[in-house]
């Protein structure tokens, strides 16, 4: 079995005991990248020389007794929104084609401190403003979308190139590709981790986090990249918990909310069935299922778009004025829409978010976590990114995919997506576990229990370099 196929903790143990070198691990990842990249297009930049240089440094540090922990020597993919010193950070846009940062983003710097090595920068939907990542194919079916905006990261993890890749999540951009690519994706609580050095889509909705092969990988990575940063006023000055300790404690007595509305509407039957099966599995492990009504459901998407659209336009104001032709038509149209939005509409969306947050807090008084599908349907075709419903209506993929993920962005609550099965067409399906503020250890514990009771988490897509 090749090194890239092993679980991260197994590779980490081999590195710790010096059974294998970080250089061997990096070469395994790069070889897998060469094998699958012609079909997937997951990477905008491959940093092979840098990866081997960092791997040699890690090898020497470990030989000298400087082992830093289970992420030391582990390859990493980084969404091309995150600044990386000396490595182009383009946001998959012509606007930043020549952008080479001189310092690392806060999250990348922390993961470098943990000893991770950079394999490359992964494609994003331009400036994260979409949910399909048109440049990239799904590892389970390259003619299908990997989701977005962190589609490159989802494809890189789902195909086995890396165990972990960074994403960002403003309306579901970590969890959507996680669900569609068969990986784990963790959006933390708003304020848990610094976004310094990450191109913004919507300042008050943006979150940073990992996509990974399994739940423990997500826990290790999220803990390493978390913490207060005075440069990011959105971060909260609270201790970072050990996100792995207690992860094996099980779910006996845990109250799991099962929605009776919103997450049950306009959803593919196979997606709904997979979520129901996940609930039944957790109940069989000792959890208590509690039916809940999602409050103010009709206001979630108006709040999401009412906040995101003008905040995105404000961030890109200068580029929209000076070089609008460098945006894709899709993103330019969205930014122009934001420019036309009234300030009163934005303020009302902010007020509406406060009401939604309060109502969700009340809902969580009777439950510990909420279990729901991550997205409404499996991956659509890249050539036809629309969901067609049984009544004949057609919904754009971005609008459809954001529908179930946006509530955790509007509320700022932590949400963990993990594989829940496969469709009859062989496409991954996902469920998400949403928790209370800063309860990442709890949703990870529930996710780990569900992971251990199924055989779908951690699978690697058998994509090859054969031309589609």
């Amino acid at each position: 079995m090749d090194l890239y196929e092993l679980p991260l903790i197994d590779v980490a143990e081999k590195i710790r005991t010096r059974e294998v070198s970080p250089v061997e691990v990096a070469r395994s990842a790069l070889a897998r990248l060469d094998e699958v990249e012609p079909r997937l297009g997951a990477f905008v930049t491959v940093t092979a020389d840098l990866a081997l240089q960092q791997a040699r440094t890690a090898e020497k540090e470990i030989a000298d007794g400087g082992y830093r922990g289970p992420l030391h020597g582990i390859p990493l993919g980084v969404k091309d929104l995150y600044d990386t010193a000396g490595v182009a950070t383009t946001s998959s846009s012509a606007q930043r084609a020549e952008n080479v940062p001189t310092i690392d983003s806060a999250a990348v710097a922390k993961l470098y401190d943990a000893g991770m090595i950079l394999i490359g920068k992964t494609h994003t939907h331009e400036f994260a403003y979409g949910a399909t990542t048109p440049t990239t194919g799904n590892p389970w079916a390259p003619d299908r979308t990997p989701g977005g905006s962190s589609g490159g990261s989802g494809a890189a993890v789902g195909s086995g190139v890396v165990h972990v890749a960074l994403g960002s999540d403003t309306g579901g951009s970590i969890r959507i590709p996680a669900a569609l690519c068969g990986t784990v994706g963790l959006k933390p609580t708003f304020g848990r981790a610094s976004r310094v050095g990450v191109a913004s889509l919507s300042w008050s909705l943006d979150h940073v986090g990992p996509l990974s092969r399994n739940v423990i990988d997500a826990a290790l990575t999220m803990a390493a990249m978390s913490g207060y940063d005075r440069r990011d006023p959105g971060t909260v000055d609270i201790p970072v918990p050990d996100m792995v300790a207690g992860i094996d404690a099980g779910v006996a007595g845990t109250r799991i909310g099962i929605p009776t509305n919103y997450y049950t509407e306009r959803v593919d039957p196979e997606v709904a069935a997979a979520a129901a099966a996940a609930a039944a599995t957790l109940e069989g492990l000792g959890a208590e299922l509690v039916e809940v009504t999602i409050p103010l459901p009709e206001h979630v998407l108006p709040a999401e778009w009412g906040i995101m659209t003008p905040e995105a336009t404000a961030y890109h104001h200068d580029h929209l004025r000076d070089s609008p032709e460098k945006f894709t038509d899709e993103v330019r149209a969205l930014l122009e829409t934001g420019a036309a939005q009234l300030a009163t509409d934005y303020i009302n969306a902010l007020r509406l978010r406060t009401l939604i947050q309060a109502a969700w807090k009340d809902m969580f008084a009777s439950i510990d976590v909420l279990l729901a599908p991550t997205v409404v349907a499996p991956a659509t075709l890249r050539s036809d990114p629309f969901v067609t419903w049984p009544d004949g209506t057609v919904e754009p993929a971005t609008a459809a995919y954001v529908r179930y993920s946006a509530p955790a962005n509007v509320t700022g609550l932590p949400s963990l997506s993990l594989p829940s099965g496969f469709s009859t067409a062989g496409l991954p399906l996902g469920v998400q576990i949403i928790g209370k503020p800063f309860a990442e250890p709890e949703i990870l514990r529930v996710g780990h229990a569900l992971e251990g009771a199924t055989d779908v988490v951690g699978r690697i897509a058998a994509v090859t370099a054969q031309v589609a």
Side-chain angles (χ1 to χ4, degrees):
M1 182 176 286
D2 288 328
L3 287 170
Y4 79 82
E5 298 178 90
L6 298 174
L8 184 153
I9 55 173
D10 291 352
V11 176
E13 181 62 12
K14 289 179 180 296
I15 290 173
R16 186 189 69 81
T17 60
R18 299 171 63 185
E19 180 181 342
V20 300
S21 160
V23 175
E24 295 174 81
V25 176
R27 285 177 175 155
S28 177
L30 290 168
R32 178 61 174 169
L33 187 152
D34 288 342
E35 181 182 11
V36 303
E37 184 64 4
R39 291 204 75 187
L40 296 184
F43 288 83
V44 59
T45 302
V46 177
T47 55
D49 291 342
L50 175 61
L52 292 173
Q53 176 187 328
Q54 291 176 328
R56 292 185 192 101
T57 299
E59 180 180 52
K60 185 177 187 308
E61 289 173 342
I62 295 166
D64 292 342
Y67 182 65
R68 304 185 194 183
L71 297 180
H72 202 173
I74 298 295
L76 173 71
V78 174
K79 186 177 182 177
D80 204 32
L81 295 182
Y82 289 74
D83 284 350
T84 42
V87 179
T89 301
T90 72
S91 301
S92 292
S93 176
Q95 293 285 3
R96 289 188 169 176
E98 306 301 323
N99 178 47
V100 180
T102 58
I103 60 174
D104 295 311
S105 59
V108 168
K110 287 192 170 189
L111 294 177
Y112 280 169
D113 286 345
M116 299 195 83
I117 61 177
L118 180 66
I119 291 295
K121 304 296 288 291
T122 57
H123 268 298
T124 172
H125 204 116
E126 185 182 27
F127 281 111
Y129 215 165
T132 57
T133 317
T135 51
T136 305
N138 189 302
W140 296 91
D143 62 338
R144 301 270 174 171
T145 177
S149 61
S150 310
S153 291
V157 175
S159 63
V161 175
V162 289
H163 290 86
V164 176
L166 295 184
S168 63
D169 196 310
T170 306
S173 291
I174 289 172
R175 291 161 292 146
I176 293 167
L180 299 187
C181 293
T183 81
V184 171
L186 175 58
K187 182 201 81 66
T189 309
F190 186 83
R192 171 63 82 187
S194 174
R195 301 160 301 171
V196 168
V198 182
S200 178
L201 174 56
S202 175
W203 183 88
S204 68
L205 294 169
D206 291 341
H207 303 68
V208 293
L211 293 93
S212 62
R213 193 97 44 93
N214 58 47
V215 174
I216 286 182
D217 298 357
L220 290 167
T221 309
M222 192 72 248
M225 62 190 289
S226 293
Y228 174 69
D229 184 346
R230 62 185 179 86
R231 299 170 298 168
D232 179 356
T235 55
V236 178
D237 191 6
I238 60 173
V240 177
D242 185 332
M243 297 187 189
V244 176
I247 202 168
D248 293 320
V251 294
T254 302
R255 299 169 301 169
I256 298 181
I258 305 298
T260 59
N261 66 324
Y262 193 72
Y263 291 102
T264 61
E265 299 157 9
R266 289 177 72 80
V267 57
D268 183 281
E270 290 186 303
V271 171
T281 297
L282 290 169
E283 185 177 34
L285 295 173
E288 177 188 357
L289 304 187
V290 180
E291 289 190 347
V292 294
T293 301
I294 303 299
L296 304 176
E298 70 277 16
H299 297 302
V300 170
L301 289 179
E304 170 77 21
W305 288 100
I307 295 168
M308 179 171 62
T309 306
E311 289 189 352
T313 301
Y315 181 80
H316 291 288
H317 177 268
D318 290 348
H319 284 152
L320 187 61
R321 179 194 60 207
D322 299 335
S323 53
E325 73 283 355
K326 290 185 178 181
F327 288 113
T328 60
D329 291 344
E330 175 195 18
V331 169
R332 185 173 65 251
L334 289 167
L335 294 173
E336 289 170 346
T337 299
Q341 185 168 326
L342 297 175
T344 50
D345 291 337
Y346 173 62
I347 296 300
N348 283 331
L350 294 176
R351 295 170 65 191
L352 185 56
R353 174 169 63 184
T354 301
L355 295 176
I356 294 170
Q357 289 172 332
W360 274 62
K361 181 179 179 180
D362 290 343
M363 178 187 71
F364 266 92
S366 63
I367 59 174
D368 299 308
V369 301
L370 182 76
L371 178 72
T374 307
V375 293
V376 299
T380 64
L381 289 168
R382 295 170 68 185
S383 60
D384 186 29
F386 294 88
V387 176
T388 302
W389 296 107
D391 62 4
T393 58
V394 176
E395 190 174 6
T398 290
Y401 290 147
V402 167
R403 187 145 41 89
Y404 281 1
S405 54
N409 296 94
V410 173
T411 60
L413 297 175
S415 179
L416 175 74
S417 179
L418 69 160
S420 58
F422 290 84
S423 72
T424 53
L427 299 172
L429 307 172
V431 292
Q432 61 181 321
I433 302 162
I434 303 174
K436 298 175 183 179
F438 300 103
E440 287 85 3
E442 186 161 32
I443 62 173
L444 289 162
R445 173 175 56 80
V446 176
H448 185 62
L450 182 58
E451 170 183 270
T454 69
D455 65 350
V456 295
V457 181
R459 292 189 190 178
I460 299 172
V463 63
T464 70
Q466 178 183 350
V467 177

